[in-house]
PDB file of all heavy atoms in Angstrom:
ATOM      1  N   MET A   1      46.839 -59.642  43.184  1.00 95.00           N
ATOM      2  CA  MET A   1      48.152 -59.013  43.043  1.00 95.00           C
ATOM      3  C   MET A   1      48.158 -58.089  41.820  1.00 95.00           C
ATOM      4  O   MET A   1      47.719 -58.479  40.749  1.00 95.00           O
ATOM      5  CB  MET A   1      49.231 -60.095  42.877  1.00 95.00           C
ATOM      6  CG  MET A   1      50.604 -59.470  42.888  1.00 95.00           C
ATOM      7  SD  MET A   1      51.979 -60.537  42.436  1.00 95.00           S
ATOM      8  CE  MET A   1      52.019 -61.743  43.705  1.00 95.00           C
ATOM      9  N   LYS A   2      48.634 -56.866  42.017  1.00 98.00           N
ATOM     10  CA  LYS A   2      48.659 -55.905  40.896  1.00 98.00           C
ATOM     11  C   LYS A   2      49.998 -56.016  40.161  1.00 98.00           C
ATOM     12  O   LYS A   2      51.049 -55.696  40.716  1.00 98.00           O
ATOM     13  CB  LYS A   2      48.477 -54.476  41.420  1.00 98.00           C
ATOM     14  CG  LYS A   2      47.036 -54.132  41.754  1.00 98.00           C
ATOM     15  CD  LYS A   2      46.893 -52.618  41.948  1.00 98.00           C
ATOM     16  CE  LYS A   2      45.459 -52.144  41.897  1.00 98.00           C
ATOM     17  NZ  LYS A   2      44.577 -52.765  42.893  1.00 98.00           N
ATOM     18  N   ILE A   3      49.915 -56.472  38.911  1.00 98.00           N
ATOM     19  CA  ILE A   3      51.137 -56.649  38.116  1.00 98.00           C
ATOM     20  C   ILE A   3      51.132 -55.639  36.968  1.00 98.00           C
ATOM     21  O   ILE A   3      50.104 -55.438  36.306  1.00 98.00           O
ATOM     22  CB  ILE A   3      51.220 -58.080  37.533  1.00 98.00           C
ATOM     23  CG1 ILE A   3      51.138 -59.113  38.663  1.00 98.00           C
ATOM     24  CG2 ILE A   3      52.501 -58.271  36.721  1.00 98.00           C
ATOM     25  CD1 ILE A   3      51.073 -60.559  38.197  1.00 98.00           C
ATOM     26  N   ALA A   4      52.271 -54.989  36.759  1.00 98.00           N
ATOM     27  CA  ALA A   4      52.400 -54.033  35.652  1.00 98.00           C
ATOM     28  C   ALA A   4      53.545 -54.464  34.747  1.00 98.00           C
ATOM     29  O   ALA A   4      54.550 -55.004  35.203  1.00 98.00           O
ATOM     30  CB  ALA A   4      52.661 -52.635  36.197  1.00 98.00           C
ATOM     31  N   VAL A   5      53.362 -54.209  33.467  1.00 98.00           N
ATOM     32  CA  VAL A   5      54.416 -54.469  32.483  1.00 98.00           C
ATOM     33  C   VAL A   5      54.976 -53.120  32.034  1.00 98.00           C
ATOM     34  O   VAL A   5      54.218 -52.205  31.723  1.00 98.00           O
ATOM     35  CB  VAL A   5      53.810 -55.244  31.274  1.00 98.00           C
ATOM     36  CG1 VAL A   5      54.711 -55.149  30.058  1.00 98.00           C
ATOM     37  CG2 VAL A   5      53.571 -56.704  31.643  1.00 98.00           C
ATOM     38  N   TYR A   6      56.304 -52.998  32.044  1.00 98.00           N
ATOM     39  CA  TYR A   6      56.953 -51.781  31.568  1.00 98.00           C
ATOM     40  C   TYR A   6      57.682 -52.128  30.262  1.00 98.00           C
ATOM     41  O   TYR A   6      58.815 -52.623  30.302  1.00 98.00           O
ATOM     42  CB  TYR A   6      57.935 -51.263  32.634  1.00 98.00           C
ATOM     43  CG  TYR A   6      58.701 -50.013  32.264  1.00 98.00           C
ATOM     44  CD1 TYR A   6      58.139 -49.023  31.464  1.00 98.00           C
ATOM     45  CD2 TYR A   6      59.993 -49.803  32.726  1.00 98.00           C
ATOM     46  CE1 TYR A   6      58.847 -47.865  31.127  1.00 98.00           C
ATOM     47  CE2 TYR A   6      60.709 -48.659  32.398  1.00 98.00           C
ATOM     48  CZ  TYR A   6      60.126 -47.692  31.598  1.00 98.00           C
ATOM     49  OH  TYR A   6      60.833 -46.566  31.262  1.00 98.00           O
ATOM     50  N   PRO A   7      57.015 -51.929  29.123  1.00 98.00           N
ATOM     51  CA  PRO A   7      57.606 -52.357  27.864  1.00 98.00           C
ATOM     52  C   PRO A   7      58.470 -51.282  27.222  1.00 98.00           C
ATOM     53  O   PRO A   7      58.221 -50.083  27.386  1.00 98.00           O
ATOM     54  CB  PRO A   7      56.372 -52.620  26.990  1.00 98.00           C
ATOM     55  CG  PRO A   7      55.365 -51.629  27.484  1.00 98.00           C
ATOM     56  CD  PRO A   7      55.669 -51.349  28.933  1.00 98.00           C
ATOM     57  N   GLY A   8      59.471 -51.710  26.479  1.00 97.00           N
ATOM     58  CA  GLY A   8      60.304 -50.746  25.756  1.00 97.00           C
ATOM     59  C   GLY A   8      61.453 -51.450  25.085  1.00 97.00           C
ATOM     60  O   GLY A   8      61.616 -52.672  25.211  1.00 97.00           O
ATOM     61  N   SER A   9      62.254 -50.665  24.382  1.00 95.00           N
ATOM     62  CA  SER A   9      63.435 -51.236  23.727  1.00 95.00           C
ATOM     63  C   SER A   9      64.612 -51.289  24.706  1.00 95.00           C
ATOM     64  O   SER A   9      65.426 -52.207  24.661  1.00 95.00           O
ATOM     65  CB  SER A   9      63.831 -50.387  22.518  1.00 95.00           C
ATOM     66  OG  SER A   9      62.727 -50.170  21.697  1.00 95.00           O
ATOM     67  N   PHE A  10      64.724 -50.261  25.528  1.00 97.00           N
ATOM     68  CA  PHE A  10      65.790 -50.185  26.542  1.00 97.00           C
ATOM     69  C   PHE A  10      67.164 -50.480  25.937  1.00 97.00           C
ATOM     70  O   PHE A  10      67.930 -51.293  26.446  1.00 97.00           O
ATOM     71  CB  PHE A  10      65.493 -51.134  27.718  1.00 97.00           C
ATOM     72  CG  PHE A  10      64.110 -50.969  28.274  1.00 97.00           C
ATOM     73  CD1 PHE A  10      63.174 -51.987  28.196  1.00 97.00           C
ATOM     74  CD2 PHE A  10      63.739 -49.764  28.866  1.00 97.00           C
ATOM     75  CE1 PHE A  10      61.890 -51.818  28.693  1.00 97.00           C
ATOM     76  CE2 PHE A  10      62.449 -49.591  29.377  1.00 97.00           C
ATOM     77  CZ  PHE A  10      61.532 -50.628  29.282  1.00 97.00           C
ATOM     78  N   ASP A  11      67.430 -49.819  24.826  1.00 95.00           N
ATOM     79  CA  ASP A  11      68.672 -50.088  24.093  1.00 95.00           C
ATOM     80  C   ASP A  11      69.538 -48.840  24.006  1.00 95.00           C
ATOM     81  O   ASP A  11      69.550 -48.187  22.976  1.00 95.00           O
ATOM     82  CB  ASP A  11      68.332 -50.613  22.700  1.00 95.00           C
ATOM     83  CG  ASP A  11      69.572 -51.033  21.945  1.00 95.00           C
ATOM     84  OD1 ASP A  11      70.449 -51.673  22.568  1.00 95.00           O
ATOM     85  OD2 ASP A  11      69.683 -50.731  20.752  1.00 95.00           O
ATOM     86  N   PRO A  12      70.293 -48.503  25.027  1.00 96.00           N
ATOM     87  CA  PRO A  12      70.396 -49.206  26.288  1.00 96.00           C
ATOM     88  C   PRO A  12      69.477 -48.577  27.342  1.00 96.00           C
ATOM     89  O   PRO A  12      68.915 -47.503  27.132  1.00 96.00           O
ATOM     90  CB  PRO A  12      71.863 -48.969  26.684  1.00 96.00           C
ATOM     91  CG  PRO A  12      72.146 -47.583  26.182  1.00 96.00           C
ATOM     92  CD  PRO A  12      71.331 -47.431  24.930  1.00 96.00           C
ATOM     93  N   MET A  13      69.395 -49.284  28.471  1.00 98.00           N
ATOM     94  CA  MET A  13      68.652 -48.758  29.617  1.00 98.00           C
ATOM     95  C   MET A  13      69.374 -47.516  30.153  1.00 98.00           C
ATOM     96  O   MET A  13      70.604 -47.470  30.179  1.00 98.00           O
ATOM     97  CB  MET A  13      68.648 -49.828  30.695  1.00 98.00           C
ATOM     98  CG  MET A  13      68.021 -49.399  31.976  1.00 98.00           C
ATOM     99  SD  MET A  13      68.867 -50.245  33.311  1.00 98.00           S
ATOM    100  CE  MET A  13      67.586 -50.290  34.517  1.00 98.00           C
ATOM    101  N   THR A  14      68.578 -46.515  30.570  1.00 98.00           N
ATOM    102  CA  THR A  14      69.156 -45.286  31.132  1.00 98.00           C
ATOM    103  C   THR A  14      68.664 -45.094  32.576  1.00 98.00           C
ATOM    104  O   THR A  14      67.780 -45.820  33.041  1.00 98.00           O
ATOM    105  CB  THR A  14      68.734 -44.045  30.313  1.00 98.00           C
ATOM    106  OG1 THR A  14      67.332 -43.828  30.540  1.00 98.00           O
ATOM    107  CG2 THR A  14      68.999 -44.227  28.833  1.00 98.00           C
ATOM    108  N   TYR A  15      69.200 -44.057  33.222  1.00 98.00           N
ATOM    109  CA  TYR A  15      68.693 -43.705  34.560  1.00 98.00           C
ATOM    110  C   TYR A  15      67.215 -43.318  34.487  1.00 98.00           C
ATOM    111  O   TYR A  15      66.487 -43.456  35.468  1.00 98.00           O
ATOM    112  CB  TYR A  15      69.505 -42.556  35.151  1.00 98.00           C
ATOM    113  CG  TYR A  15      70.753 -43.005  35.889  1.00 98.00           C
ATOM    114  CD1 TYR A  15      71.997 -42.430  35.611  1.00 98.00           C
ATOM    115  CD2 TYR A  15      70.699 -43.983  36.878  1.00 98.00           C
ATOM    116  CE1 TYR A  15      73.142 -42.824  36.297  1.00 98.00           C
ATOM    117  CE2 TYR A  15      71.835 -44.389  37.558  1.00 98.00           C
ATOM    118  CZ  TYR A  15      73.053 -43.808  37.275  1.00 98.00           C
ATOM    119  OH  TYR A  15      74.173 -44.207  37.952  1.00 98.00           O
ATOM    120  N   GLY A  16      66.763 -42.820  33.331  1.00 98.00           N
ATOM    121  CA  GLY A  16      65.340 -42.477  33.162  1.00 98.00           C
ATOM    122  C   GLY A  16      64.472 -43.709  33.329  1.00 98.00           C
ATOM    123  O   GLY A  16      63.472 -43.699  34.055  1.00 98.00           O
ATOM    124  N   HIS A  17      64.863 -44.806  32.663  1.00 98.00           N
ATOM    125  CA  HIS A  17      64.107 -46.059  32.771  1.00 98.00           C
ATOM    126  C   HIS A  17      64.153 -46.608  34.203  1.00 98.00           C
ATOM    127  O   HIS A  17      63.152 -47.081  34.731  1.00 98.00           O
ATOM    128  CB  HIS A  17      64.696 -47.113  31.832  1.00 98.00           C
ATOM    129  CG  HIS A  17      64.660 -46.742  30.375  1.00 98.00           C
ATOM    130  ND1 HIS A  17      65.741 -46.856  29.540  1.00 98.00           N
ATOM    131  CD2 HIS A  17      63.656 -46.244  29.603  1.00 98.00           C
ATOM    132  CE1 HIS A  17      65.417 -46.477  28.313  1.00 98.00           C
ATOM    133  NE2 HIS A  17      64.157 -46.083  28.323  1.00 98.00           N
ATOM    134  N   LEU A  18      65.341 -46.552  34.806  1.00 98.00           N
ATOM    135  CA  LEU A  18      65.501 -47.099  36.159  1.00 98.00           C
ATOM    136  C   LEU A  18      64.602 -46.359  37.153  1.00 98.00           C
ATOM    137  O   LEU A  18      63.954 -46.961  38.011  1.00 98.00           O
ATOM    138  CB  LEU A  18      66.968 -46.999  36.582  1.00 98.00           C
ATOM    139  CG  LEU A  18      67.312 -47.622  37.927  1.00 98.00           C
ATOM    140  CD1 LEU A  18      67.150 -49.139  37.890  1.00 98.00           C
ATOM    141  CD2 LEU A  18      68.743 -47.266  38.341  1.00 98.00           C
ATOM    142  N   ASP A  19      64.550 -45.051  36.996  1.00 98.00           N
ATOM    143  CA  ASP A  19      63.713 -44.224  37.875  1.00 98.00           C
ATOM    144  C   ASP A  19      62.231 -44.597  37.725  1.00 98.00           C
ATOM    145  O   ASP A  19      61.521 -44.760  38.719  1.00 98.00           O
ATOM    146  CB  ASP A  19      63.949 -42.747  37.517  1.00 98.00           C
ATOM    147  CG  ASP A  19      63.016 -41.814  38.242  1.00 98.00           C
ATOM    148  OD1 ASP A  19      63.012 -41.835  39.493  1.00 98.00           O
ATOM    149  OD2 ASP A  19      62.269 -41.049  37.577  1.00 98.00           O
ATOM    150  N   ILE A  20      61.803 -44.771  36.472  1.00 98.00           N
ATOM    151  CA  ILE A  20      60.387 -45.096  36.235  1.00 98.00           C
ATOM    152  C   ILE A  20      60.049 -46.467  36.849  1.00 98.00           C
ATOM    153  O   ILE A  20      59.033 -46.620  37.523  1.00 98.00           O
ATOM    154  CB  ILE A  20      60.064 -45.108  34.708  1.00 98.00           C
ATOM    155  CG1 ILE A  20      60.273 -43.715  34.089  1.00 98.00           C
ATOM    156  CG2 ILE A  20      58.645 -45.627  34.441  1.00 98.00           C
ATOM    157  CD1 ILE A  20      59.323 -42.636  34.529  1.00 98.00           C
ATOM    158  N   VAL A  21      60.922 -47.453  36.637  1.00 98.00           N
ATOM    159  CA  VAL A  21      60.584 -48.793  37.134  1.00 98.00           C
ATOM    160  C   VAL A  21      60.577 -48.830  38.667  1.00 98.00           C
ATOM    161  O   VAL A  21      59.730 -49.485  39.278  1.00 98.00           O
ATOM    162  CB  VAL A  21      61.530 -49.870  36.531  1.00 98.00           C
ATOM    163  CG1 VAL A  21      62.830 -50.005  37.279  1.00 98.00           C
ATOM    164  CG2 VAL A  21      60.841 -51.216  36.430  1.00 98.00           C
ATOM    165  N   ALA A  22      61.488 -48.081  39.277  1.00 97.00           N
ATOM    166  CA  ALA A  22      61.531 -48.060  40.749  1.00 97.00           C
ATOM    167  C   ALA A  22      60.284 -47.372  41.301  1.00 97.00           C
ATOM    168  O   ALA A  22      59.711 -47.817  42.302  1.00 97.00           O
ATOM    169  CB  ALA A  22      62.798 -47.346  41.220  1.00 97.00           C
ATOM    170  N   ARG A  23      59.854 -46.303  40.633  1.00 98.00           N
ATOM    171  CA  ARG A  23      58.629 -45.616  41.098  1.00 98.00           C
ATOM    172  C   ARG A  23      57.398 -46.486  40.863  1.00 98.00           C
ATOM    173  O   ARG A  23      56.472 -46.507  41.672  1.00 98.00           O
ATOM    174  CB  ARG A  23      58.512 -44.260  40.422  1.00 98.00           C
ATOM    175  CG  ARG A  23      59.526 -43.268  41.012  1.00 98.00           C
ATOM    176  CD  ARG A  23      59.789 -42.093  40.101  1.00 98.00           C
ATOM    177  NE  ARG A  23      58.610 -41.330  39.836  1.00 98.00           N
ATOM    178  CZ  ARG A  23      58.506 -40.468  38.805  1.00 98.00           C
ATOM    179  NH1 ARG A  23      59.512 -40.301  37.969  1.00 98.00           N
ATOM    180  NH2 ARG A  23      57.409 -39.792  38.627  1.00 98.00           N
ATOM    181  N   ALA A  24      57.396 -47.231  39.755  1.00 98.00           N
ATOM    182  CA  ALA A  24      56.269 -48.136  39.485  1.00 98.00           C
ATOM    183  C   ALA A  24      56.220 -49.244  40.537  1.00 98.00           C
ATOM    184  O   ALA A  24      55.145 -49.675  40.950  1.00 98.00           O
ATOM    185  CB  ALA A  24      56.393 -48.728  38.080  1.00 98.00           C
ATOM    186  N   ALA A  25      57.390 -49.671  40.979  1.00 98.00           N
ATOM    187  CA  ALA A  25      57.445 -50.742  41.987  1.00 98.00           C
ATOM    188  C   ALA A  25      56.907 -50.277  43.337  1.00 98.00           C
ATOM    189  O   ALA A  25      56.593 -51.098  44.197  1.00 98.00           O
ATOM    190  CB  ALA A  25      58.873 -51.261  42.123  1.00 98.00           C
ATOM    191  N   ALA A  26      56.805 -48.961  43.525  1.00 97.00           N
ATOM    192  CA  ALA A  26      56.212 -48.446  44.763  1.00 97.00           C
ATOM    193  C   ALA A  26      54.685 -48.467  44.686  1.00 97.00           C
ATOM    194  O   ALA A  26      54.003 -48.326  45.693  1.00 97.00           O
ATOM    195  CB  ALA A  26      56.705 -47.020  45.022  1.00 97.00           C
TER     196      ALA A  26
END
Side-chain angles (χ1 to χ4, degrees):
M1 186 190 295
K2 282 193 164 58
I3 304 174
V5 162
Y6 179 33
S9 309
F10 309 115
D11 185 42
M13 175 212 207
T14 70
Y15 273 129
H17 299 132
L18 184 67
D19 173 58
I20 297 293
V21 84
R23 286 160 61 198

